[in-house]
């Protein structure tokens, strides 16, 4: 744990140093945006790679610590020494980086001041030069010959001035409307110059922007001074036309290699540049960001027209709207910082390498004797006491090795004494537990492993089919006997008992090579032992016969309760059916009995009066009601038989069965009976299923017989869950769907006997037969729109085609 914390602290310090200095160092090394972007990409990839290496090293260290180091051991010596070097080296590297950055920043500040001063001095020189030209133009504007603005009498000085002053290309005068008065004739008749509107608006001298003279073929600029009349109004102007090259000497300033100074006019066009006075004149700066940086008169870094990245400073030229821009290559700025950084990094890496080498040497000096001491201890743990630890290395390790060697000399004698005492104790316990059927044991655990059996009685041979010696060093074979479905439950119970020192009692199964699956009962009391382990003192008893008896008794009780519940439910259902049936009998038989009674009394009364005609009519009524009563009784008997006779399932071909029923029906010749799809084979009681089809088809024929073209259709399809759904449809009289629930009740009819004859038993009989086959039945209809009767059979009653 300590090593993990140290590793985390070192990684944190490295990450902080990386975050603080990496961007600044990148700016020192990479001045262009593209190079800086590439650096940031590789920097991120490098940090991820470094993090992965750290994670792998930490995982490997943790794995070695789990496999090689005992529980509670700290970090290895080499790790601690490496952390010490890391803790001392990282601040040194951070301080080194801070110092380099300070030097780079100082150099950058000096360079910014230098370019600002160059721009300031150059703009001052140019402003002085332009001011001289303005005064020259003003002096010319005061001459009487110039003020007359007479084209026929031009002042000779206008023609001689270019020869007198090398900076002048041409001197011209213009009237108030911008027309040429004196000067080069080629310019006569041209539009007013660009400076004309500005001069008329302000009345002040104007320094014009650079432009290419179409007559002289060179880049020029103008200095214009107003000619005032006696009232002080602008009457005309004197224009000094000068080549842009006259400003080159003013731009020549001592600069580092590839340094540059440029002069921009009001339109951001290059008036002059040094070096390259002719190559760049006339180029216009169109980049909005760059224009803003120049006009804000602040330092900025950018790539020049020659592709060189420079640090620029700018300064305005008086009130002319011109700007001087001076630039110094960034390579020359950062090169000293780069060289210093590389030298410092090389020195830092050399120091880290030297420290790492010293750490490895020191670690070997310490860990070599420690490994030898460990090998000696491991050999002693395996029972080899002949190996001795070398008494070499640091003084503390020599003292420890001497103590270990002295202990090894005493260990065999101590072990012999302990062994003899344990043997006597074991013999005593074995004698006491020899005649006990349960297996007594002492189970010790240190950690999460299976532990070992310090003692097992002779009963282990019958209960687990293992030898006591098999479990002395490793209790794993005992746990391998536990049934796989019970193993996790047993292990969890043991962990809970060991953690809380609670009494353990549980039943589980074991799988034995000879006896097969057996049930055992475990009970044990845990106690703490020296060294942080737990020991259980308990017994294991074979309870297979008792478990079988309990299971048989429980199964018998559960079966008995289930049978009682089934019989109770059947009896309740039978009682409900009997009650409903009794009510139907009482209700349906009472009507014909009342009729017989009434007509018999009327017939007797007619006979007493001698009215034989009426008596005969009444007797016929008595006979008709007696016949109806006989039909009802036959219906009752049919319903009773349908619920009582056992079903005999057999394969039934419904296609053939329906064809036979159709042949038996005495239907009108005009009735069309269609079977829309071949009917399947089913497993059912053929006699009762024939009665279902006979009743449904007979009803369909009866209720559609009054149609001009009666049609009866038979179809089937697979319904929900794979059940078979059979339908019988007709285009007959139909019925009100509100009373559809009465159709399948005994003796319930939705049509009068005068309309369609019947007893009302057929559909009730159909429902009982279908339900006994595990299906259900329903009907759909509208008055005078035909009816469709549907019933189902379970999926398991469908048979494949034969």
């Amino acid at each position: 744990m300590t090593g993990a914390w140290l590793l985390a602290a070192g990684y944190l310090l490295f990450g902080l140093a990386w975050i603080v200095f990496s961007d600044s160092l990148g700016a020192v090394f990479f001045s262009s945006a593209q190079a800086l972007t590439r650096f940031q990409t590789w920097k991120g990839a490098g940090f991820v790679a470094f993090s992965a290496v750290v994670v792998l090293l930490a995982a490997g260290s943790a794995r070695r610590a789990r496999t090689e180091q005992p529980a509670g051991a700290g970090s290895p010596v080499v790790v601690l020494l490496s952390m010490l070097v890391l803790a001392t080296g990282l601040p040194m590297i951070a301080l080194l980086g801070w110092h380099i950055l300070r030097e780079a920043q100082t150099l950058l500040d000096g360079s910014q001041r230098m370019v600002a001063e160059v721009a300031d001095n150059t703009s001052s020189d140019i402003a002085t030069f332009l001011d001289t030209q303005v005064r020259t133009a003003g002096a010319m504007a005061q001459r009487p010959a110039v003020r007359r603005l007479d084209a026929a009498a031009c002042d000779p000085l206008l023609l001689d001035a270019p020869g007198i002053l090398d900076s002048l290309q041409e001197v011209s005068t213009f009237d108030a409307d911008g027309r040429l008065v004196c000067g080069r004739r080629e310019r006569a008749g041209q539009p007013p110059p660009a400076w004309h509107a500005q001069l008329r608006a302000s009345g002040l001298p104007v320094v014009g922007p650079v432009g290419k003279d179409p007559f002289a073929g060179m880049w020029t600029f103008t200095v214009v001074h107003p000619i005032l009349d006696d009232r002080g109004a602008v009457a005309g102007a004197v224009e000094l036309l000068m080549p842009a090259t006259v400003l080159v000497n003013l731009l020549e300033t001592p600069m580092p290699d590839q340094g540059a100074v440029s002069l921009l006019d009001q339109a951001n066009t290059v008036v002059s540049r040094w070096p390259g006075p002719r190559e760049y004149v006339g180029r216009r700066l169109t980049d909005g960001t760059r224009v803003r940086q120049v006009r804000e008169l602040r330092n900025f870094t950018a790539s020049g027209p020659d592709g060189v990245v420079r640090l620029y400073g700018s300064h305005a030229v008086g009130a002319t709207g011109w700007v001087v821009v001076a630039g110094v290559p960034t390579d020359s700025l950062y090169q000293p910082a780069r060289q210093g950084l590389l030298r410092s990094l090389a020195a830092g890496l050399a120091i880290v390498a030297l420290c790492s080498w010293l750490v490895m040497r020191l670690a070997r000096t310490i860990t070599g004797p420690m490994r030898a001491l460990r090998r000696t201890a491991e050999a002693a743990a395996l029972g080899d006491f002949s190996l001795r630890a070398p008494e070499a290395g640091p003084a503390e390790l020599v003292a420890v090795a001497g103590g270990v060697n002295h202990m090894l000399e005493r260990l065999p004698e101590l072990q012999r004494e302990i062994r003899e005492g344990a043997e006597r104790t074991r013999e005593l316990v074995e004698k006491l537990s020899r005649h006990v059927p349960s297996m007594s044991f002492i189970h010790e655990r240190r950690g999460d492993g299976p532990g070992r059996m310090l003692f097992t009685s002779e009963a282990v041979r019958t209960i687990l089919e293992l030898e006591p010696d098999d479990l002395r060093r490793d209790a794993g074979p005992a746990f391998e006997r536990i049934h796989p479905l019970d193993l996790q439950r047993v292990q969890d119970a043991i962990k809970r008992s060991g953690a809380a020192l609670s009494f353990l009692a549980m039943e589980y199964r074991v799988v034995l090579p000879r006896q097969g699956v057996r049930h055992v009962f475990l009970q044990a009391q845990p106690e703490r032992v020296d060294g942080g382990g737990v020991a259980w003192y308990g017994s294991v008893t074979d309870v297979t016969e008792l478990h079988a008896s309990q299971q048989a008794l429980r199964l018998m009780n559960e079966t008995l309760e289930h049978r009682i519940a089934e019989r109770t439910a059947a009896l309740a259902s039978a009682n409900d059916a009997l009650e409903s049936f009794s009510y139907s009998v009482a209700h349906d038989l009472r009507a014909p009995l009342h009729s017989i009674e009434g007509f018999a009394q009327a017939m007797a009364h007619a006979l007493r009066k001698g009215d034989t005609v009426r008596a005969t009519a009444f007797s016929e009524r008595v006979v008709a009601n007696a016949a109806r009563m006989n039909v009802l009784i036959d219906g009752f008997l049919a319903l009773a038989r349908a619920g009582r006779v056992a079903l005999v399932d057999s394969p039934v071909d419904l296609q053939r069965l329906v064809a036979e029923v159709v042949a038996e029906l005495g239907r009108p010749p005009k009735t069309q009976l269609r079977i829309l799809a071949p009917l399947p084979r089913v497993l059912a009681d053929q006699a009762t299923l024939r009665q279902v089809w006979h009743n449904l088809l007979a009803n369909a024929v009866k209720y559609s017989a009054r149609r001009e073209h009666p049609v009866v259709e038979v179809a089937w399809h697979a319904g929900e869950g794979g059940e078979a759904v059979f339908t019988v449809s007709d285009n007959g009289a139909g019925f009100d769907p509100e009373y559809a629930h009465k159709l399948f009740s005994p003796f319930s009819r939705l049509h009068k006997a005068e309309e369609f004859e019947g007893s009302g038993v057929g559909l009730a009989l159909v429902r009982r037969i279908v339900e006994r086959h595990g299906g259900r039945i329903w009907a759909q209809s509208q008055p005078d729109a035909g009816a469709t009767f549907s019933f189902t059979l379970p999926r398991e009653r469908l048979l494949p085609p034969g």
Side-chain angles (χ1 to χ4, degrees):
M1 182 59 70
T2 303
W5 279 109
L6 290 174
L7 183 63
Y11 182 74
L12 177 61
L13 290 175
F14 175 80
L16 290 175
W18 182 276
I19 293 172
V20 171
F21 297 113
S22 60
D23 289 336
S24 300
L25 292 176
V28 170
F29 273 101
F30 307 100
S31 54
S32 68
Q34 296 81 1
L36 187 58
T37 301
R38 289 193 298 272
F39 166 73
Q40 296 288 357
T41 302
W42 284 107
K43 181 190 73 173
F47 189 77
V48 170
F50 176 77
S51 301
V53 171
V54 170
V55 170
L56 290 175
L57 291 177
S61 177
R63 184 167 56 252
R64 287 193 298 272
R66 288 195 301 269
T67 56
E68 300 178 3
Q69 301 295 331
S75 299
V77 173
V78 65
V79 173
L80 296 177
L81 292 175
S82 300
M83 291 300 170
L84 178 61
V85 172
L86 188 62
T88 56
L90 282 178
M92 179 189 70
I93 294 175
L95 183 61
L96 180 63
W98 177 80
H99 178 69
I100 294 172
L101 290 178
R102 284 292 302 273
E103 288 184 352
Q105 189 62 42
T106 301
L107 181 61
L108 180 61
D109 293 341
S111 300
Q112 290 178 344
R113 287 193 299 272
M114 181 189 72
V115 294
E117 291 175 357
V118 169
D120 187 10
N121 295 335
T122 304
S123 67
S124 178
D125 294 342
I126 294 175
T128 301
F129 171 79
L130 294 178
D131 186 61
T132 301
Q133 303 307 317
V134 169
R135 288 197 301 272
T136 301
M140 291 182 178
Q142 296 296 326
R143 292 173 64 84
V146 174
R147 294 182 65 189
R148 284 195 297 270
L149 296 174
D150 185 359
C154 293
D155 191 336
L157 182 62
L158 301 180
L159 299 176
D160 297 336
I164 298 172
L165 298 175
D166 295 337
S167 60
L168 293 180
Q169 175 72 22
E170 178 185 344
V171 180
S172 304
T173 60
F174 295 83
D175 62 14
D177 294 328
R179 294 188 294 269
L180 179 69
V181 177
C182 294
R184 197 166 55 198
R185 293 296 98 191
E186 294 89 347
R187 301 179 66 183
Q190 296 293 326
W195 46 259
H196 176 261
Q198 181 180 356
L199 181 68
R200 289 291 302 271
S202 64
L204 299 175
V206 176
V207 177
V210 68
K212 194 164 187 180
D213 187 349
F215 305 104
M218 66 176 62
W219 291 93
T220 61
F221 67 94
T222 59
V223 174
V224 183
H225 197 283
I227 301 173
L228 305 179
D229 58 15
D230 296 336
R231 296 189 304 274
V234 177
V238 174
E239 178 196 71
L240 304 184
L241 186 67
M242 289 171 282
T245 53
V246 301
L247 300 173
V248 174
N249 295 334
L250 300 177
L251 300 180
E252 292 182 1
T253 304
M255 296 282 283
D257 188 25
Q258 292 188 328
V261 182
S262 300
L263 177 63
L264 306 180
D265 63 8
Q266 302 94 323
N268 301 309
T269 303
V270 178
V271 180
S272 184
R273 185 183 187 277
W274 181 84
R278 299 183 182 276
E279 182 181 355
Y280 300 102
V281 174
R283 291 192 182 185
R284 187 175 181 182
L285 188 62
T286 58
D287 187 350
T289 301
R290 201 62 49 76
V291 170
R292 186 175 64 257
Q293 291 173 337
V294 169
R295 292 296 174 179
E296 288 176 351
L297 306 180
R298 291 188 297 186
N299 296 107
F300 62 93
T301 301
S303 177
D306 53 1
V308 178
V309 179
R310 296 181 177 88
L311 174 66
Y312 287 101
S314 57
H315 199 280
V317 180
T320 61
W322 289 16
V323 179
V324 174
V325 183
V328 178
T330 55
D331 287 341
S332 62
L333 299 180
Y334 294 126
Q335 187 62 28
R338 291 194 183 109
Q339 293 175 353
L341 177 60
L342 292 176
R343 288 194 299 270
S344 301
L345 286 179
L349 291 176
I351 293 173
V352 171
L354 178 61
C355 292
S356 301
W357 179 77
L358 291 176
V359 164
M360 297 304 295
R361 288 294 304 269
L362 183 59
R364 274 197 222 90
T365 304
I366 297 175
T367 57
M370 293 176 68
R371 289 195 185 96
L373 184 60
R374 178 179 177 178
R375 287 193 295 270
T376 303
E378 289 175 348
L382 297 176
D384 183 7
F385 304 111
S386 61
L387 193 62
R388 294 293 181 267
E391 298 181 9
E396 292 81 357
L397 291 180
V398 171
V400 171
V404 170
N405 292 334
H406 179 68
M407 179 187 67
L408 292 175
E409 292 174 357
R410 287 277 299 150
L411 268 179
E413 182 180 354
L414 295 175
Q415 280 190 333
R416 180 179 56 79
E417 295 175 357
I418 293 172
R419 206 164 37 245
E420 290 177 354
E423 185 66 23
R424 288 193 298 269
T425 303
R426 187 181 64 80
E427 290 177 356
L428 177 60
V429 173
E430 286 183 352
K431 290 177 181 179
L432 294 175
S433 61
R434 187 166 296 166
H435 301 289
V436 177
S438 299
M439 181 192 84
S440 301
F441 67 88
I442 302 175
H443 178 209
E444 182 186 66
R445 274 193 175 190
R446 298 178 185 272
D448 296 333
R452 56 180 183 150
M453 294 291 187
L454 301 180
F455 168 76
T456 53
S457 64
E458 296 293 329
V460 70
R461 292 189 174 94
T462 57
I463 293 180
L464 296 182
E465 296 184 3
L466 291 171
E467 294 295 325
D469 293 339
D470 296 340
L471 308 175
R472 294 279 167 78
R473 292 184 178 275
D474 182 12
F479 285 91
E480 292 174 0
R481 291 286 196 261
I482 299 175
H483 196 285
L485 298 180
D486 296 342
L487 179 59
Q488 189 62 45
R489 179 170 58 89
V490 174
Q491 291 179 340
D492 293 342
I494 293 175
K495 288 182 179 179
R496 290 193 298 270
S497 174
L501 295 182
S502 58
F503 185 75
L504 178 62
M506 64 183 306
E507 180 182 339
Y508 58 91
R509 293 168 292 178
V510 295
V511 182
L512 306 180
R514 293 192 299 271
Q515 304 178 60
V517 179
R518 306 289 291 179
H519 290 263
V520 297
F521 182 75
L522 166 69
Q523 53 185 354
Q525 178 64 49
E527 291 183 2
R528 293 287 181 195
V529 296
D530 295 338
V534 179
W536 284 266
Y537 301 85
S539 63
V540 177
T541 306
D542 190 329
V543 294
T544 304
E545 286 73 16
L546 177 61
H547 180 81
S549 301
Q550 291 175 345
Q551 286 289 100
L553 180 60
R554 184 164 51 251
L555 180 61
M556 184 176 66
N557 291 335
E558 291 176 356
T559 305
L560 179 60
E561 292 177 0
H562 182 66
R563 289 201 304 270
I564 292 174
E566 285 183 345
R567 296 292 175 84
T568 303
L571 183 59
S573 178
N575 287 336
D576 292 341
L578 181 59
E579 182 178 355
S580 176
F581 185 74
S582 300
Y583 176 79
S584 297
V585 170
H587 179 272
D588 293 326
L589 290 182
R590 186 176 290 117
L593 282 175
H594 285 326
S595 297
I596 291 172
E597 181 181 7
F599 286 123
Q601 291 176 355
M603 183 178 64
H605 182 70
L607 289 174
R608 281 195 298 270
K609 289 184 177 184
D611 190 352
T612 57
V613 176
R614 294 186 64 190
T616 302
F618 290 147
S619 65
E620 290 175 354
R621 297 287 184 87
V622 170
V623 171
N625 279 283
R628 174 169 173 74
M629 192 172 181
N630 189 46
V631 170
L632 291 176
I633 291 172
D634 289 340
F636 288 139
L637 294 176
L639 284 174
R641 284 195 300 273
R644 187 177 64 253
V645 176
L647 299 180
V648 179
D649 289 338
S650 62
V652 179
D653 187 348
L654 290 183
Q655 185 75 16
R656 180 177 178 181
L657 178 65
V658 172
E660 293 174 355
V661 172
V662 170
E664 294 173 0
L665 290 175
R667 69 181 188 278
K670 60 181 180 178
T671 300
Q672 296 184 24
L673 199 151
R674 306 169 183 166
I675 300 178
L676 300 182
L679 300 179
R681 296 171 67 247
V682 297
L683 185 66
D685 182 79
Q686 182 166 342
T688 57
L689 199 59
R690 176 186 291 271
Q691 194 169 6
V692 169
W693 284 103
H694 187 280
N695 287 348
L696 293 179
L697 291 172
N699 280 349
V701 171
K702 177 174 63 176
Y703 287 104
S704 63
R706 298 182 181 181
R707 297 292 186 188
E708 182 179 356
H709 298 289
V711 177
V712 177
E713 294 181 343
V714 177
W716 84 283
H717 66 276
E720 296 182 1
E723 63 181 358
V725 181
F726 301 92
T727 59
V728 177
S729 305
D730 63 73
N731 62 345
F735 56 85
D736 190 344
E738 184 178 354
Y739 303 102
H741 62 282
K742 295 184 177 181
L743 279 175
F744 302 101
S745 298
F747 309 105
S748 294
R749 291 174 52 83
L750 302 185
H751 299 87
K752 295 180 180 180
E754 294 79 7
E755 295 177 341
F756 298 98
E757 63 178 8
S759 63
V761 177
L763 291 179
L765 186 62
V766 168
R767 185 183 73 171
R768 183 164 296 185
I769 294 172
V770 169
E771 289 178 349
R772 292 194 66 193
H773 279 81
R776 52 195 175 88
I777 188 169
W778 67 94
Q780 297 172 318
S781 178
Q782 291 292 334
D784 201 36
T788 299
F789 286 81
S790 305
F791 71 93
T792 67
L793 291 178
R795 179 179 59 183
E796 55 268 18
R797 288 188 175 275
L798 281 175
L799 297 178

